Structures are given as C-alpha cells and as structure tokens.
Amino acid sequence: MRFLARLLTLAFLGFISLLWWRHLLWRNTAQNQGRLAMEDAEEDVPQTFDSLLHIQQLRKKALRSFCSERGKITRLPPTQQEASQALSSIMVDHKLHFLYCKTPATGVEGWERLLEMLLEKNVSLQLPIPHHQQFGSQKALSEYNRTSMEAIMQSYTKVMFVREPFQRLISAYMHGMADGLNFKEFVQYILYSGSRNRSMEWTPSVSLCRPCLVRYDYVIMFGFLDNEVRHLMLRAGLPENIRIPEFIDSKIRWTYRWLEEQMLSQLSLRERKGLCHFFRFDYHTFRFPRSLLWNLTCIPGSG
Ligand SMILES: *[C@@H]1O[C@H](CO)[C@@H](O)[C@H](O)[C@H]1NC(C)=O
Ligand SMILES: *[C@@H]1O[C@H](CO)[C@@H](O)[C@H](O)[C@H]1NC(C)=O
Ligand SMILES: *[C@@H]1O[C@H](CO)[C@@H](O)[C@H](O)[C@H]1NC(C)=O
Ligand SMILES: *[C@@H]1O[C@H](CO)[C@@H](O)[C@H](O)[C@H]1NC(C)=O
C-alpha cells in the first residue's frame, strides 16, 4: 500500500518534471512581471525588480548575522585538502562567470540546464569582472589550488540555491535514496547514523555551501525560482532578446503541501524534533515561509 502510494507519487512527480523542460513557455526576460510569494503573507503581490532586490538583501543580511556568530568557518582552511573538502559542492561556470553551490533538489538542476542553454547559444553576460584572469576549465572549485579558489570567489557571481529542508528530505526519499525503508525508518536512519553515511541529498545547505566562507551574492529559494533566476539574469546583464524557459517549482507546491502533511504524520514528536535539530542552521538562516515542520514543531513553544 505504502509502496503503491510512493510509486504513484513518484510517477506524478516524474510527469511534472517532464513538463518542466518541455513546457517551454518562452517568455521575455524583460517582462519580469511575474508573481512571487515572499516571506510571510504577500503571496499574490506582483514583485518588482526593486522588491526582488530587497528580498536578496534580507536573505544576505540573515546570512551575515548567522555568520557573525562564533565558530563559523569564514576563511579558506590552510591546507589544500581541507579547502577542497570544504568547497566540495561548489561548481564554476567560466564562460558566464558564475560560481554556484550544487545542493540536490533545490532547483540547481534547472539552473545548470539554463547555463548549458546559454552556452549553446553562445551568450555572454555583461558582468564587470574585476580581473580577466584565466582559471582553466575545471568545473569543480575544489580542483583548483587555494590561490585560484580565492581569486574565483572574488571575481565570479556567487549563487546559492535553498529549499525547505523537509521538502528536500521528501524529495530524496521519493527519488529512491532509501531503498527498502519506509519514510519513518529513513528519517531514523538520517537522525541516528551520525555523519558517517551522510548523503548530499540531506546534508544541510549550510554545511554543503559554506555560506560564511563563500559569501554568496545571490540566494535563490525553491518555490520562487522563476522570478528570482530571471532577476539574477537581468542583473547579470543577460541580453533582452534571450528568453529563459519557465521554472515550474511553484506549480508543484500543492503536491508537496500534501506530501509534507502525509510524511509528517508518520513521524513521532521525537523524530520531528530531531529533524528540527538536524536542520537547525538552515532553518535559522533562511526563513522558509511555508515550512510545515517549522510551524508545527520547530518554533519554540510549538509541538
Ligand atoms: C561566440 O560569441 C563570440 C563573441 O560574443 C564570438 O566572437 C564568437 O565567434 C561566437 N562563436 C560562435 C560559435 O558563434
Ligand atoms: C595555482 O594554479 C594556477 C593556475 O593553474 C597557477 O598559475 C599557480 O601558479 C598555482 N599557484 C600555486 C601557489 O600553486
Ligand atoms: C555506510 O556506507 C558504507 C560505504 O558506502 C557502507 O558499506 C555501509 O553499509 C553504510 N552503512 C549503513 C548503515 O548504511
Ligand atoms: C506558518 O506560519 C506562518 C506565520 O504564522 C504562516 O504565514 C504560514 O502560512 C504557515 N505555513 C504553513 C505551511 O502552515
């Protein structure tokens, strides 16, 4: 029964992702008049260029405040091995001068397809690059020596993708990261297996992306990808005649809403609290406006 439900949901999600790229509603980037739901209530207020900028400022401010706490890694570690380890999820695009963190199931997959498309179209951006330095062609930042890492981090536009952690877990579960386990067992495995077998699929964003070290220019949130990526591209100087395919993350919202309720109901209070703790840095650093887990369990005094 549980298997069947999972299969059906998976089929549904598969279908939706298929739509993602086939549903090429080419829209003009200049018509950046879409809708974006932001931090609390203002779901249906059309967002302007300025308000999108404001959202970025708020997110970065929250990040800076998190990073000003004690014990955060804010500098590149001294040895090559440690530095490569710390930056192991960071990718670079040398043609368009982007550096981004590759957190699974946050929309970064669509972003990479977009970069490929721009590459195929031989698009270049009019970014003011401080030094026109050649860095080689490796795609992973960890493959560079520390000097080049620093230089790339200083000159490229740095982008981070985030998503509500419980949704990331559900996505990992749905995509077969938990062979033979039901969702409850999967959560127990994550909570009690320590850091030994931690997969990128559920490693907290803050640990994967090292935002205190990388100091991202842009933090993009799943659920709002369409507007936020367009905004970023406009700011980066994408020519106006280049059209970006639509992101459909906001359209699968209701599916996830339903899934979140179902999955959460399978967990004990102890397990829910365990997840709050496991993802505490992500929850505190990024305010996820529609987080069921946060609302029901993590907010002090709830649960
Ligand atoms: C790509 O664009 C650059 C400059 O924008 C141009 O010099 C080059 O010839 C183009 N290459 C192709 C294959 O169109
Ligand atoms: C780092 O790599 C760059 C480019 O590959 C090279 O020019 C530079 O000499 C290297 N620096 C060190 C300290 O090894
Ligand atoms: C952890 O990973 C190792 C190596 O990938 C594997 O052999 C082991 O079975 C895993 N442990 C658990 C509890 O899954
Ligand atoms: C969580 O609480 C906030 C503020 O009370 C509310 O705006 C939001 O809709 C709630 N989210 C969910 C998923 O219940």
Side-chain angles (χ1 to χ4, degrees), residues 212-227:
C212 302
L213 171 59
V214 179
R215 306 219 177 87
Y216 291 92
D217 301 296
Y218 227 86
V219 179
I220 293 187
M221 193 174 285
F222 192 90
F224 311 109
L225 289 174
D226 206 54
N227 270 304

Side-chain angles (χ1 to χ4, degrees), residues 257-270:
R257 180 80 156 186
W258 178 81
L259 280 172
E260 278 179 271
E261 282 168 12
Q262 301 302 310
M263 300 303 203
L264 206 55
S265 70
Q266 295 176 23
L267 303 180
S268 68
L269 182 60
R270 180 153 183 257

Side-chain angles (χ1 to χ4, degrees), residues 163-186:
R163 181 176 188 179
E164 203 284 319
F166 193 57
Q167 285 191 11
R168 273 183 64 209
L169 266 195
I170 294 175
S171 170
Y173 179 69
M174 288 297 172
H175 287 92
M177 291 302 292
D179 251 352
L181 303 181
N182 64 35
F183 187 67
K184 189 181 176 71
E185 290 161 346
F186 176 56

Side-chain angles (χ1 to χ4, degrees), residues 43-278:
E43 293 219 0
D44 291 316
V45 179
Q47 299 290 311
T48 63
F49 197 83
D50 284 344
S51 60
L52 285 161
L53 201 57
H54 182 61
I55 289 166
Q56 288 305 318
Q57 284 160 350
L58 290 178
R59 288 196 193 136
K60 284 191 287 180
K61 192 172 160 207
L63 255 182
R64 278 197 302 275
S65 146
F66 169 76
C67 293
S68 66
E69 291 165 16
R70 279 169 61 91
K72 303 286 181 284
I73 299 171
T74 55
R75 296 185 162 213
L76 209 54
T79 70
Q80 177 68 33
Q81 197 195 352
E82 287 168 321
S84 294
Q85 177 67 32
L87 300 174
S88 59
S89 300
I90 317 273
M91 310 301 288
V92 281
D93 181 317
H94 296 291
K95 170 104 193 319
L96 299 169
H97 305 285
F98 280 120
L99 174 158
Y100 59 93
C101 177
K102 198 171 160 82
T103 310
T106 53
V108 73
E109 300 83 358
W111 162 259
E112 289 189 320
R113 270 170 294 190
L114 173 61
L115 295 182
E116 272 167 34
M117 185 201 95
L118 296 179
L119 189 67
E120 275 167 24
K121 293 194 171 195
N122 195 23
V123 170
S124 39
L125 302 177
Q126 293 119 34
L127 280 173
I129 306 290
H131 359 263
H132 278 277
Q133 209 172 327
Q134 287 301 318
F135 293 113
S137 57
Q138 287 92 327
K139 296 195 81 180
L141 188 58
S142 60
E143 289 171 23
Y144 290 89
N145 63 33
R146 291 180 68 259
T147 319
S148 296
M149 283 176 182
E150 296 268 20
I152 293 174
M153 288 198 287
Q154 269 171 31
S155 53
Y156 284 14
T157 302
K158 302 175 283 297
V159 189
M160 174 174 180
F161 292 82
V162 296
R163 181 176 188 179
E164 203 284 319
F166 193 57
Q167 285 191 11
R168 273 183 64 209
L169 266 195
I170 294 175
S171 170
Y173 179 69
M174 288 297 172
H175 287 92
M177 291 302 292
D179 251 352
L181 303 181
N182 64 35
F183 187 67
K184 189 181 176 71
E185 290 161 346
F186 176 56
V187 167
Q188 285 171 346
Y189 172 72
I190 290 169
L191 291 179
Y192 308 122
S193 68
S195 53
R196 272 174 296 127
N197 281 7
R198 189 173 290 180
S199 159
M200 275 175 65
E201 309 277 334
W202 59 81
T203 302
S205 298
V206 164
S207 318
L208 282 180
C209 300
R210 308 291 176 156
C212 302
L213 171 59
V214 179
R215 306 219 177 87
Y216 291 92
D217 301 296
Y218 227 86
V219 179
I220 293 187
M221 193 174 285
F222 192 90
F224 311 109
L225 289 174
D226 206 54
N227 270 304
E228 298 193 354
V229 170
R230 264 164 230 284
H231 180 245
L232 165 61
M233 283 298 176
L234 276 181
R235 279 182 73 199
L238 185 74
E240 295 206 349
N241 61 343
I242 303 294
R243 291 163 182 208
I244 300 180
E246 192 183 22
F247 287 84
I248 58 133
D249 54 303
S250 62
K251 298 198 171 63
I252 61 171
R253 189 195 301 165
W254 61 268
T255 317
Y256 263 92
R257 180 80 156 186
W258 178 81
L259 280 172
E260 278 179 271
E261 282 168 12
Q262 301 302 310
M263 300 303 203
L264 206 55
S265 70
Q266 295 176 23
L267 303 180
S268 68
L269 182 60
R270 180 153 183 257
E271 286 149 4
R272 294 179 187 197
K273 290 271 184 207
L275 288 179
C276 294
H277 183 74
F278 188 83

